């Protein structure tokens, strides 16, 4: 009789998610700030073929998702990349680096969502005539920072993740993007749109087709992330080994179809000149599609607030995840123990929440200091950079763990052939400087990781002096608990 690699658990979460709820969770986690934040910038980079970077990002994400599926069905615990890294390499410091990179990606993703949200909120106020002039960049920054504080207060009250609530938010996200797609194809059908533009490449920076599409793909990758968060729900999924592979791949497919239809709508309704003006003025391309494509209908007065609602969900989920991981690492004496402090009564990790919120606010403020840079694009690029590095490690971990597999051990899912190795190579390729990221993106990522290493080193020294431990993880699998 075959055995499995499922490890016994001292306690189990209630398995409440079937394939339908899991699909909605995955789609909702992928959809969000990404498509709202980066579509206009991507169209400015490659012109009418903006759908192509979305498709290529989907290919890279899917290859990586196959590695995640092989690992999550082998180790069905809610710890994700850190667990797989530890199983493969067994080096506590490498495990910490991966776990902290995931934390930082959550913080930068939430910061991106916050900046995007503040832009849509002020646009909505302006479109409805509730403010006379468009908000300045300083005002948008202040709103973004205030929103991060609001998220912290919600987090402090113990805003637990609710599957049903995420279903509602997912439906709102899909509805908002359906409006963009509907308006775009209405314009095309009426003869006012230019569908022929979807095959036109426009090089904004004289990089050539390959480098321009590569650069846009690295940006588009931000819109495809989120599928990896689903592995943290594995202990609440019914029969995960059976339904996870099909459901995750279906979710990715739905997301890329929506993204490509949105991309076609943007370049069919808006001219190159309009897109250039939108990017130069810091406007939102999706809102412009609605206002230009349906000027006689008040859709543009409602759409910004739908977008706010959708983007807010991305920020909240990421900040909940980041503060939870900080708490988990501090509780195991991998980070300073004070970061594991909880609020009396509500039992929420106030120190982890304060730490991650301070980093997010600092990020928004720092990026805003460079008036020539695009705040949303750079923050999105930092998120992509960090996650691409994490995904490269996960793909390599998949190869390593596959080589350790025993013939008598039952496997539930295997990524085809050499795809994990190909996934690692593609992820590392998109990390390189040839994708035309601003230098500030690498600076931010390096500083964030340096903060983590310093905190780890301080904790290591304190643990050695006090004899309380050696900064090694006690139980990597419980980090997501």
């Amino acid at each position: 009789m075959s055995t499995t690699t499922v490890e016994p658990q001292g306690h189990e979460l209630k398995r409440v998610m079937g394939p339908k709820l899991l699909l909605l969770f995955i789609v909702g986690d992928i959809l969000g700030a990404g498509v709202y934040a980066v579509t206009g910038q991507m169209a400015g980079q490659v012109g009418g073929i903006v759908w192509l970077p979305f498709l290529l990002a989907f290919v890279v994400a899917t290859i990586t998702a196959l590695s995640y599926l092989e690992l999550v069905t082998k180790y069905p615990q809610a710890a994700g990349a850190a667990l797989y890294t530890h199983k493969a390499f067994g080096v506590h410091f490498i495990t910490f680096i991966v776990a902290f990179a995931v934390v930082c990606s959550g913080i930068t993703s939430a910061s991106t969502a916050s900046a995007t949200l503040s832009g849509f909120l002020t646009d909505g106020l302006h479109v409805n005539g509730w403010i006379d002039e468009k908000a300045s960049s300083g005002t948008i920054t202040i709103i973004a920072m205030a929103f991060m504080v609001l998220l912290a207060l919600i987090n402090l009250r113990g805003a637990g993740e609710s599957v049903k609530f995420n279903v509602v938010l997912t439906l709102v996200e899909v509805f908002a993007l359906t409006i963009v797609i509907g308006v775009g194809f209405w314009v095309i059908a009426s003869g006012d749109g230019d569908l022929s533009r979807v095959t036109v490449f426009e090089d904004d920076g004289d990089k050539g087709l390959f480098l321009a599409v590569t650069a846009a793909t690295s940006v588009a990758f931000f819109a495809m992330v989120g599928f990896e968060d689903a592995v943290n729900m594995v202990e609440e999924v019914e029969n995960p080994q059976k339904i996870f592979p099909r459901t995750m791949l279906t979710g990715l497919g739905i997301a890329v179809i929506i993204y490509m239809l949105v991309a076609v709508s943007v370049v069919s309704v808006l001219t190159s000149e309009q897109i250039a003006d939108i990017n130069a003025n810091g406007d939102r391309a999706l809102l412009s599609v609605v206002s230009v494509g349906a000027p006689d209908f008040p859709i543009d007065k409602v759409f910004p607030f739908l977008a706010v609602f959708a983007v807010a969900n991305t920020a909240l989920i990421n900040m909940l995840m980041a503060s939870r991981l900080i708490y988990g690492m501090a509780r195991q004496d991998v980070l300073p123990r004070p970061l594991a402090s909880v609020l009396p009564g509500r039992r929420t990790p106030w120190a982890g929440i304060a730490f991650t919120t301070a980093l997010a606010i600092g990020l928004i403020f720092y990026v805003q200091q460079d008036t020539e840079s695009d705040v949303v694009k750079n923050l999105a690029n930092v998120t992509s950079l960090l996650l691409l590095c994490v995904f490269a490690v996960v793909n390599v971990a998949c190869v390593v763990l596959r080589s350790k597999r025993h013939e008598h051990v039952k496997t539930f899912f295997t990524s085809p052939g050499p795809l994990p190795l190909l996934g690692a190579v593609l992820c590392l390729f998109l990390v390189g400087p040839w994708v035309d990221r601003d230098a500030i993106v690498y600076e931010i990522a390096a500083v964030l990781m340096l903060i983590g290493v310093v905190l780890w080193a301080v904790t290591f020294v304190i643990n050695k002096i006090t004899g309380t431990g050696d900064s090694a993880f006690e139980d990597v699998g419980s980090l997501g608990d």
Side-chain angles (χ1 to χ4, degrees):
M1 186 172 72
S2 63
T3 61
T4 70
T5 56
V6 179
E7 299 179 5
Q9 300 295 308
H11 59 86
E12 291 187 356
L13 298 174
K14 185 178 180 181
R15 296 189 181 276
V16 297
M17 297 183 71
K20 293 180 181 179
L21 282 179
L22 179 61
L23 178 62
L24 284 169
F25 180 86
I26 292 172
V27 172
D29 216 13
I30 298 173
L31 300 180
V35 69
Y36 295 95
V38 301
T39 305
Q41 288 88 350
M42 289 166 53
Q45 288 179 297
V46 297
I49 61 169
V50 65
W51 54 269
L52 180 58
F54 278 122
L55 181 60
L56 295 175
F58 163 75
V59 172
V60 177
T62 300
I63 292 174
T64 300
L66 292 172
S67 294
Y68 266 92
L69 289 171
E70 179 170 333
L71 294 169
V72 75
T73 53
K74 184 178 176 67
Y75 307 107
Q77 294 173 262
L83 175 63
Y84 312 145
T85 302
H86 199 68
K87 291 287 186 182
F89 308 111
V91 180
H92 288 272
F93 182 70
I94 296 177
T95 302
F96 166 76
I97 289 295
V98 170
F100 198 78
V102 173
V103 169
C104 292
S105 72
I107 294 171
T108 55
S109 179
S111 300
T112 307
S114 182
T116 304
L117 177 146
S118 61
F120 273 112
L121 178 61
T122 54
D123 282 348
L125 296 176
H126 178 63
V127 168
N128 284 277
W130 297 334
I131 57 176
D132 295 331
E133 298 180 355
K134 295 195 65 174
S136 65
S137 59
T139 300
I140 292 176
T141 300
I142 292 173
I143 293 174
M145 292 179 174
F147 178 68
M148 295 309 305
V149 174
L150 176 62
L151 287 182
L153 295 175
I154 294 173
N155 204 345
L156 282 171
R157 288 185 60 84
E161 188 173 60
S162 166
V163 174
K164 292 182 179 179
F165 186 55
N166 273 287
V167 168
V168 174
L169 293 176
T170 299
L171 295 176
V172 172
E173 291 169 355
V174 173
F175 178 65
L177 295 176
T178 300
I179 290 176
V180 177
I181 295 168
V183 169
F185 280 80
W186 168 262
V187 173
I188 294 171
S190 64
D192 295 324
D194 186 4
L195 188 58
S196 65
R197 289 199 65 229
V198 299
T199 60
V200 177
F201 167 64
E202 296 170 351
D203 192 352
D204 181 53
D206 296 326
K207 292 185 286 289
L209 177 62
F210 178 76
L211 288 180
V213 171
T214 299
T217 300
S218 70
V219 177
F221 200 80
F222 174 67
M224 291 306 305
V225 300
F227 68 88
E228 75 283 356
D229 292 334
V231 301
N232 294 320
M233 302 297 293
V234 65
E235 294 183 54
E236 298 174 64
V237 174
E238 301 170 356
N239 196 6
Q241 285 89 351
K242 179 179 179 181
I243 72 171
F244 233 100
R246 180 176 63 252
T247 307
M248 181 179 283
L249 296 177
T250 301
L252 279 164
I254 291 173
V256 74
I257 289 172
I258 292 175
Y259 286 166
M260 291 175 68
L261 291 175
V262 168
V264 170
S265 299
V266 168
V267 297
S268 296
V269 174
L270 303 176
T271 65
S272 301
E273 292 74 17
Q274 288 173 318
I275 292 173
D277 289 341
I278 288 168
N279 291 334
N281 297 328
D283 293 333
R284 263 73 27 203
L286 270 59
L287 177 58
S288 297
V289 170
V290 174
S291 58
V292 172
D296 298 328
F297 295 93
I299 303 176
D300 61 331
K301 298 183 183 298
V302 178
F303 180 80
F305 301 109
L306 291 174
V308 164
F309 195 54
V311 171
N313 184 40
T314 300
L316 179 58
I317 289 176
N318 278 283
M319 291 305 288
L320 284 169
M321 176 274 294
S323 59
R324 194 177 188 185
L325 281 176
I326 289 292
Y327 164 75
M329 286 189 283
R331 187 179 58 178
Q332 297 190 31
D333 292 316
V334 178
L335 288 177
R337 173 61 73 161
L339 287 175
S341 300
V342 296
L343 196 66
R346 295 192 178 277
R347 306 299 297 169
T348 49
W350 71 265
I353 294 169
F355 176 76
T356 53
T357 301
L359 279 182
I361 291 175
L363 266 178
I364 295 171
F365 177 79
Y366 177 73
V367 177
Q368 183 60 41
Q369 298 311 297
D370 184 358
T371 57
E372 299 298 322
S373 70
D374 187 315
V375 175
V376 171
K377 181 180 177 181
N378 284 335
L379 288 174
N381 261 317
V382 176
T383 306
S384 295
L385 176 64
L386 290 168
L387 284 179
L388 283 165
C389 292
V390 171
F391 290 167
V393 174
V394 170
N395 279 305
V396 173
C398 185
V399 175
V400 172
L401 290 170
R402 183 182 291 178
S403 67
K404 296 180 179 180
R405 181 188 300 165
H406 298 291
E407 292 183 2
H408 69 278
V409 175
K410 181 179 179 180
T411 57
F412 295 96
F413 182 90
T414 301
S415 178
L419 281 186
L421 186 59
L422 175 61
V425 172
L426 290 175
C427 289
L428 290 175
F429 175 74
L430 291 176
V431 165
W434 41 81
V435 299
D436 198 32
R437 290 187 183 93
D438 290 345
I440 193 173
V441 172
Y442 293 97
E443 293 171 7
I444 291 172
V447 169
L448 286 173
M449 295 308 299
L450 181 61
I451 290 173
V453 171
V454 169
L455 288 173
W456 180 88
V458 169
T459 307
F460 180 84
V461 172
I462 293 174
N463 289 345
K464 285 295 185 182
I465 292 174
T466 60
T468 56
D470 56 2
S471 295
F473 287 94
E474 297 174 4
D475 181 12
V476 179
S478 68
L479 278 180
D481 294 344

